[in-house]
Amino acid sequence: MFAQGGRRLATALEFEKNRIIYSAENRYRLPGVRVRSEGQAPTNDSAVDEAYDGLGATFDLYAEVYGRNSIDDNGMDMVGTVHFGRNFGNALWNGRQMIFGDGDGEVFNRMTVAIDVMGHELTHGVIQYDVPPNGLEYANQPGALNESIADVFGSLVKQYSLGQTADQADWLIGEGLIIGAEALRSLKDPSAGLDSQPAHMRDYVNTSKDNGGVHTNSGIPNHAFYLAATEIGGYAREGAGLIWYLTLPLVSAKAQFQDFASQTLATARRLFGVNSLEDEAVGDAWAQVGINL
Amino acid sequence: MLNSVFIEESDLYMAHSPLCRNPFHCIIPPNVLERLARTGEERRRTMALDTLMVSETFRTARLEGPIGNREGERRDQRICSDGNGGRGCLLKEGAD
């Protein structure tokens, strides 16, 4: 147990995971009927069991790698409702729980099929609790950082569950979610996903849509993370992932890309030393996406 | 196409919960759903519009804030999204 950057990293042994999965039974009611609780056997309902496993994988990454006790770092229950609505093609975090639609089976698969989706959505919760006072503002560059950090840890949840190193990972978000497309987004090649994104500041999109393009411009910090993680090598969660995680409480709710980048570099230097591989990889990664430090 | 979607207002916006400080985030962004709604064939358009409708119901509830949020006040209002093809067509009904 030690402290880094003002954050206490505890041991996962202190933590107790408590997952509760409900079914909305294709209605629009929350939380619905309880269908699986912590420790209970699989139900043979794919959505129920995938949600249970995905919430567990997210809890495990945060607990075992970063010493975090659930979303709020205070043992919050991990709650999910599956079979929400009819043909509902989305998954969301409403501040208290996760909600998963079944998709329509034609464009969207069931929303529990991609483990990184759960990591992504629950990380929005982590950001709420870590960036003072109420999380990164959900608009423009702070909003794009919010989306990017959710993608980063969504990918790390998947990599951790599969035991992958940075060079083994696919860096996709939402693989299998969209029928006929590889994935929703890619940190490795932000232009490649269904939700095509810029990978450099020269292509930054100024728009009033989607809260200032929060799902579009997140491609820029996403790609910076990918570049840093692959340059550092090994398990991304232990190098770039640790730097990003420990940077979260150090940024303000209105942080711009430049602010976040500067803080990640400061964290890399504090953790690994000036001129370390990590220091240089983080600085180079941001420079490659057009953010010079 | 949805005829109506009833979601308890307390399910949309949990501002009274100490666990909730900045709710509502979706994995499928609205621009992707809007593109599907514009370019897809009928079934896809319907799915995309319905998903947008429900997603926007959550989003709008967040932006508008809770209804009837004084302590002790009944909170049985609902938000009804009229699904007749109209995005952002949010009707409030019920309550005190």
Side-chain angles (χ1 to χ4, degrees):
Chain A
M1 194 178 308
F2 57 100
Q4 290 283 7
R7 182 193 288 280
R8 174 179 169 271
L9 296 180
T11 167
L13 295 175
E14 300 174 25
F15 307 149
E16 193 172 343
K17 186 161 42 186
N18 190 30
R19 290 165 285 183
I20 308 167
I21 309 297
Y22 296 87
S23 171
E25 299 179 321
N26 295 117
R27 299 172 69 190
Y28 295 88
R29 291 294 174 86
L30 296 175
V33 178
R34 186 186 285 230
V35 287
R36 190 173 175 192
S37 301
E38 188 63 42
Q40 290 185 338
T43 60
N44 292 323
D45 179 326
S46 297
V48 172
D49 296 332
E50 287 167 352
Y52 183 88
D53 292 343
L55 296 185
T58 304
F59 183 97
D60 289 346
L61 173 81
Y62 279 110
E64 294 166 9
V65 179
Y66 303 121
R68 185 184 188 88
N69 187 6
S70 193
I71 302 309
D72 61 350
D73 203 14
N74 194 31
M76 179 180 185
D77 289 346
M78 310 279 278
V79 179
T81 293
V82 300
H83 302 309
F84 180 77
R86 288 200 181 279
N87 300 326
F88 183 56
N90 226 332
L92 62 96
W93 164 257
N94 73 354
R96 186 165 67 181
Q97 67 160 99
M98 285 223 53
I99 299 163
F100 305 95
D102 288 333
D104 63 337
E106 201 168 301
V107 177
F108 293 117
N109 209 332
R110 61 181 181 278
M111 292 288 141
T112 51
V113 78
I115 195 170
D116 45 272
V117 168
M118 285 165 265
H120 172 108
E121 293 299 333
L122 292 168
T123 297
H124 283 304
V126 170
I127 294 166
Q128 284 174 218
Y129 285 96
D130 267 19
V131 178
N134 296 315
L136 283 158
E137 287 185 0
Y138 201 60
N140 304 313
Q141 287 198 19
L145 281 172
N146 200 324
E147 280 300 321
S148 172
I149 293 162
D151 276 352
V152 160
F153 287 95
S155 182
L156 293 182
V157 166
K158 180 176 176 180
Q159 292 174 37
Y160 187 51
S161 72
L162 295 174
Q164 293 176 329
T165 56
D167 63 335
Q168 293 169 333
D170 61 21
W171 296 99
L172 298 172
I173 297 295
E175 185 187 22
L177 208 59
I178 301 136
I179 297 165
E182 188 176 27
L184 187 60
R185 289 187 287 275
S186 167
L187 283 76
K188 181 178 181 178
D189 181 4
S191 69
L194 183 71
D195 189 13
S196 183
Q197 301 174 296
H200 193 281
M201 284 302 285
R202 64 174 165 261
D203 300 316
Y204 185 91
V205 178
N206 286 298
T207 176
S208 59
K209 290 185 175 178
D210 189 24
N211 290 27
V214 297
H215 290 91
T216 304
N217 293 312
S218 56
I220 296 167
N222 271 1
H223 195 53
F225 182 85
Y226 162 79
L227 292 169
T230 50
E231 179 62 24
I232 293 167
Y235 294 112
R237 59 184 179 269
E238 295 173 356
L242 181 62
I243 293 166
W244 257 239
Y245 179 68
L246 293 177
T247 297
L248 259 185
L250 307 179
V251 298
S252 77
K254 296 180 185 296
Q256 304 296 299
F257 289 178
Q258 186 81 39
D259 303 324
F260 187 77
S262 296
Q263 285 294 349
T264 57
L265 189 64
T267 303
R269 288 177 174 170
R270 192 176 67 250
L271 286 177
F272 299 102
V274 176
N275 297 326
S276 62
L277 168 64
E278 291 79 3
D279 171 20
E280 298 197 351
V282 170
D284 288 348
W286 286 112
Q288 287 183 65
V289 301
I291 296 172
N292 293 302
L293 302 173
Chain B
M1 183 71 76
L2 294 172
N3 290 319
S4 61
V5 178
F6 291 95
I7 304 175
E8 293 291 344
E9 190 266 338
S10 59
D11 289 335
L12 294 170
Y13 191 93
M14 287 73 170
H16 300 281
S17 165
L19 301 179
C20 173
R21 296 185 285 182
N22 186 21
F24 188 79
H25 296 276
C26 280
I27 190 69
I28 307 293
N31 56 306
V32 169
L33 293 167
E34 285 167 1
R35 194 162 67 236
L36 280 168
R38 281 198 305 271
T39 60
E41 50 79 36
E42 187 58 31
R43 276 173 56 90
R44 292 183 176 200
R45 292 181 63 233
T46 301
M47 181 281 301
L49 283 170
D50 288 351
T51 297
L52 265 172
M53 188 90 56
V54 175
S55 299
E56 287 295 311
T57 303
F58 278 93
R59 185 189 298 271
T60 304
R62 173 191 169 191
L63 293 175
E64 290 183 340
I67 302 161
N69 60 0
R70 291 194 302 273
E71 197 165 345
E73 187 173 354
R74 284 184 59 202
R75 302 187 68 232
D76 56 356
Q77 287 176 306
R78 295 172 177 179
I79 290 179
C80 168
S81 293
D82 180 348
N84 293 325
R87 271 196 58 218
C89 178
L90 299 174
L91 308 172
K92 299 184 180 104
E93 68 167 20
D96 306 335

